[in-house]
C-alpha cells in the first residue's frame, strides 16, 4: 500500500475534527458568553529517506530527504477575549468588561486560603437572579460568591468626632455601622428585621425605635482565632450569621452568651482573648427565613448588588460580586455548559473586586498584618492577598454575547470542505493507481 493513502486518511480525520469545532462554534453563535474555539493543524510523522550531511573537504553536503504522512490536530484553543455587550434590561444581568470570571458553586464551599479558589466553578455568563431563599444564583441554580457588607462590631452609635479620631489612631473604625468583609461567601439578600418591641430591644422606654420593621439585617464581622504561620495568633475575622436562631433568647433578642466561642472582635498578636460584642446595637432579624424585600435591584461597575428596601425605602448594598482571574485565561478547562475550572494550564488564581475598590494590602478573611519593624507579630500569607483588578469593570443590565462570528465560521467551513474534498481525491487517485498495478498481469 502506498503512503499517500494513509496521509490522505490522516488529512480526512483532521479536517473532520476541524469541522466539528466549526459546527460547535456555529451552534453557539447566540449562546451567552460562549467563547469561540479554533483548531490548529499540525504536520504528522515524517520518515527520513536520506539523512542530511554537512559535506567533506572534497564533496558537497546535502539536505535531508523526508516524506510526511499527513496532518494531525495540533491544538484546539479557546479565545477568551471579551464579547460585545448585549443589553437585556434585567437588573441582575451583568458582564465582565475585561479579563476574569464569576465564581459560582454550592453553598457549602469554604475558602480559607487562596489554594481553595480552585473549588469554585468559573463562568463568564452573568444571568443572575434571586432564589426563594434570597441567594443570588445563576441560570443553573449555582450560588454566586462574593464579599458581603456586614455589621461592624466596633461601631459606636452616636460617637463624637474625638472618639472617632482616637479610635482611628488605635486602628479601629467606630464610625461606620456597615463595612465590607473580605470573607468569600455566597451572596444573599439580608434578612428582614422584626417588629421592634421592648422585649426584643427594638423599642426604647421613651418610645423611640432602634430599627424599623423590615429593615435589612446583615451578618456581623467576628473574630476567630487561627494559628499563624509563625506560631502567633492571626487576626483573621469571619462573618457571623445573624440568621441562626440558636443565638437568640426567648424574646428574640440577640444573646451574646449564646454566640460561638471566639465570636468577638479581632484577636491580637499577643494572644489576648477576643473582644466581646457588647454595645452592638444592630437590629434583630426575623427568624422565619423571610428575606428583606428589595426592589429596583441593579449591579454597578464594581459588581455591587444594590436595591431599595420596600419597608423603608433605604438603599441596601448587599455585597460585591467576586471576580476571579487566572494567569492564562485561555488555559482554563471547559467542564460543560458555561463553566470552567482553573486546572493545570491556567496558572495561579487570584480574586478581587472590579474597579480597584479594595485598597492594596487587603487579605482574604479580613486578615491584617500585625508585624512591626522588627518582624514580630503575624503576617498573612501572600497567596491570600486579594487582587485590586483596576482595569476590570462590570456592566449591568446586559449579558456578554458569543464571540463566534458567523462570517468567519462560514469561510472556515468552506476552506475545510475543500480540504476534505482534496484529501478524498488523493484516496481515489491512489486507488486508481493500485488498480492499474493489479491489472498489469492479465
Amino acid at each position: 500500500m502506498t503512503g499517500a493513502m494513509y496521509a490522505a486518511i490522516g488529512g480526512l480525520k483532521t479536517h473532520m475534527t476541524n469541522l466539528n469545532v466549526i459546527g460547535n462554534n456555529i451552534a453557539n453563535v447566540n449562546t451567552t458568553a460562549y467563547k469561540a474555539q479554533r483548531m490548529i493543524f499540525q504536520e504528522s510523522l515524517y520518515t527520513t529517506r536520506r539523512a542530511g550531511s554537512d559535506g567533506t573537504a572534497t564533496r558537497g553536503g546535502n539536505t535531508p530527504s523526508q516524506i510526511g504522512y499527513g496532518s494531525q490536530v495540533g491544538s484546539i484553543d479557546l479565545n477568551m477575549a471579551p464579547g460585545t455587550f448585549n443589553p437585556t434590561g434585567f437588573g441582575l444581568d451583568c458582564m465582565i468588561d475585561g479579563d476574569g470570571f464569576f465564581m459560582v458553586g454550592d453553598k457549602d464551599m469554604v475558602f480559607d486560603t487562596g489554594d481553595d479558589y480552585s473549588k469554585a466553578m468559573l463562568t463568564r455568563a452573568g444571568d443572575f437572579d434571586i432564589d426563594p431563599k434570597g441567594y443570588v444564583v445563576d441560570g443553573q441554580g449555582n450560588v454566586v460568591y462574593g464579599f458581603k457588607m456586614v455589621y461592624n462590631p466596633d461601631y459606636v452609635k452616636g460617637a463624637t468626632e474625638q472618639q472617632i479620631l482616637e479610635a482611628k489612631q488605635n486602628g479601629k473604625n467606630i464610625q461606620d455601622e456597615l463595612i465590607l468583609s473580605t470573607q468569600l461567601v455566597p451572596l444573599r439578600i439580608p434578612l428582614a428585621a422584626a417588629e421592634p418591641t421592648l422585649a426584643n430591644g427594638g423599642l426604647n422606654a421613651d418610645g423611640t425605635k432602634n430599627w424599623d420593621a423590615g429593615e435589612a439585617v446583615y451578618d456581623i464581622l467576628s473574630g476567630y482565632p487561627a494559628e499563624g504561620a509563625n506560631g502567633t495568633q492571626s487576626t483573621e475575622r469571619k462573618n457571623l450569621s445573624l440568621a441562626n436562631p440558636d443565638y437568640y433568647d426567648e424574646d428574640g433578642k440577640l444573646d451574646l452568651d449564646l454566640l460561638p466561642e471566639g465570636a468577638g472582635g479581632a484577636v491580637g498578636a499577643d494572644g489576648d482573648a477576643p473582644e466581646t460584642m457588647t454595645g452592638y446595637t444592630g437590629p434583630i432579624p426575623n427568624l422565619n427565613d423571610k428575606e428583606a424585600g428589595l426592589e429596583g435591584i441593579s449591579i454597578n461597575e464594581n459588581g455591587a448588588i444594590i436595591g431599595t428596601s420596600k419597608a423603608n425605602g433605604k438603599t441596601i448594598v448587599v455585597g460585591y460580586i467576586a471576580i476571579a482571574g487566572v494567569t492564562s485565561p485561555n488555559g482554563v478547562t471547559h467542564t460543560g455548559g458555561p463553566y470552567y475550572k482553573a486546572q493545570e494550564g491556567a496558572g495561579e488564581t487570584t480574586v478581587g473586586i472590579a474597579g480597584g475598590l479594595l485598597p492594596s494590602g487587603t487579605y482574604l478573611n479580613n486578615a491584617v498584618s500585625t508585624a512591626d519593624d522588627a518582624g514580630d507579630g503575624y503576617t498573612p500569607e501572600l497567596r491570600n492577598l486579594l487582587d485590586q483588578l483596576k482595569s476590570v469593570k462590570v456592566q449591568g443590565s446586559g449579558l456578554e454575547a458569543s464571540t463566534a462570528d458567523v462570517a468567519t465560521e462560514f469561510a472556515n467551513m468552506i476552506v475545510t470542505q475543500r480540504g476534505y474534498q482534496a484529501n478524498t481525491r488523493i484516496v481515489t487517485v491512489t486507488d486508481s493507481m493500485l488498480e492499474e498495478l493489479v491489472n498489469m498481469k492479465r
Side-chain angles (χ1 to χ4, degrees):
M1 296 288 286
T2 174
M5 182 171 288
Y6 290 109
I9 291 173
L12 291 173
K13 291 180 178 180
T14 309
H15 279 81
M16 182 57 71
T17 300
N18 191 40
L19 189 63
N20 291 339
V21 173
I22 295 171
N24 187 54
N25 286 341
I26 293 176
N28 288 282
V29 71
N30 288 318
T31 300
T32 298
Y34 174 77
K35 298 304 176 185
Q37 296 176 291
R38 68 167 185 179
M39 197 199 83
I40 300 298
F41 285 80
Q42 180 176 296
E43 298 166 283
S44 192
L45 180 68
Y46 277 81
T47 181
T48 301
R49 303 293 298 271
R50 184 185 65 186
S53 66
D54 293 334
T56 65
T58 58
R59 295 183 60 86
N62 58 269
T63 58
S65 296
Q66 296 176 296
I67 298 177
Y69 285 95
S71 62
Q72 62 183 351
V73 177
S75 64
I76 300 176
D77 305 316
L78 280 171
N79 178 12
M80 296 302 296
T84 57
F85 181 69
N86 180 22
T88 63
F90 288 86
L92 278 173
D93 284 349
C94 61
M95 72 162 279
I96 300 173
D97 185 5
D99 292 335
F101 301 86
F102 300 115
M103 301 178 71
V104 300
D106 296 332
K107 298 176 183 177
D108 58 354
M109 292 191 297
V110 177
F111 300 91
D112 288 326
T113 71
D115 292 338
D116 295 328
Y117 294 152
S118 59
K119 296 178 181 178
M121 293 187 294
L122 307 178
T123 181
R124 295 278 302 189
D127 53 331
F128 302 147
D129 203 353
I130 308 295
D131 77 354
K133 294 291 186 182
Y135 286 95
V136 182
V137 296
D138 69 1
Q140 307 300 316
N142 296 296
V143 295
V144 180
Y145 276 76
F147 305 104
K148 295 177 69 174
M149 295 299 294
V150 297
Y151 284 125
N152 175 11
D154 298 328
Y155 171 68
V156 176
K157 189 174 182 179
T160 65
E161 292 186 5
Q162 182 62 31
Q163 289 175 317
I164 294 172
L165 180 60
E166 291 176 356
K168 283 184 178 179
Q169 292 173 347
N170 294 324
K172 285 189 177 182
N173 173 13
I174 65 172
Q175 182 178 12
D176 299 320
E177 183 178 9
L178 292 173
I179 54 177
L180 176 63
S181 167
T182 60
Q183 183 185 359
L184 194 54
V185 294
L187 292 176
R188 189 184 188 189
I189 302 301
L191 290 169
E195 183 71 33
T197 64
L198 288 172
N200 63 24
L203 194 65
N204 300 316
D206 59 1
T208 58
K209 296 179 180 180
N210 290 323
W211 66 79
D212 295 322
E215 184 175 332
V217 179
Y218 295 84
D219 293 344
I220 189 169
L221 190 62
S222 182
Y224 290 90
E227 190 71 16
N230 52 9
T232 61
Q233 293 293 321
S234 77
T235 54
E236 182 179 88
R237 306 173 84 180
K238 295 186 178 180
N239 305 343
L240 179 66
S241 173
L242 293 182
N244 191 336
D246 295 336
Y247 302 157
Y248 298 86
D249 58 23
E250 295 178 354
D251 295 322
K253 187 174 181 180
L254 184 66
D255 189 336
L256 300 178
D257 295 331
L258 298 178
L259 299 179
E261 184 179 356
V267 180
D270 55 1
D272 289 343
E275 301 169 5
T276 64
M277 282 163 40
T278 13
Y280 170 67
T281 56
I284 306 302
N286 188 333
L287 299 180
N288 59 7
D289 210 23
K290 290 183 179 178
E291 305 303 323
L294 294 184
E295 57 187 3
I297 300 178
S298 62
I299 297 176
N300 70 9
E301 64 179 12
N302 296 119
I305 299 176
I306 303 172
T308 303
S309 172
K310 294 180 181 178
N312 51 27
K314 290 183 179 180
T315 299
I316 294 177
V317 180
V318 176
Y320 293 80
I321 298 173
I323 305 295
V326 294
T327 308
S328 177
N330 293 348
V332 293
T333 302
H334 211 151
T335 59
Y339 302 119
Y340 305 88
K341 278 280 192 177
Q343 298 178 348
E344 294 292 332
E348 296 295 325
T349 304
T350 57
V351 175
I353 295 176
L357 183 68
L358 293 173
S360 60
T362 302
Y363 290 87
L364 183 68
N365 292 325
N366 309 285
V368 294
S369 176
T370 60
D372 55 24
D373 295 337
D376 297 328
Y378 172 73
T379 304
E381 296 186 33
L382 188 59
R383 61 182 173 175
N384 297 339
L385 184 66
L386 296 179
D387 201 343
Q388 290 185 281
L389 300 176
K390 292 183 178 180
S391 62
V392 179
K393 292 184 179 180
V394 175
Q395 296 190 42
S397 300
L399 297 171
E400 183 177 1
S402 171
T403 58
D405 180 71
V406 176
T408 301
E409 298 304 329
F410 267 68
N412 290 338
M413 182 172 61
I414 293 172
V415 173
T416 302
Q417 180 185 13
R418 292 308 181 191
Y420 188 91
Q421 188 179 35
N423 278 275
T424 61
R425 293 294 182 269
I426 295 295
V427 174
T428 55
V429 169
T430 304
D431 179 56
S432 297
M433 293 175 66
L434 291 174
E435 182 182 11
E436 293 295 328
L437 178 63
V438 171
N439 293 332
M440 284 181 64
K441 184 176 183 302
R442 293 187 179 272

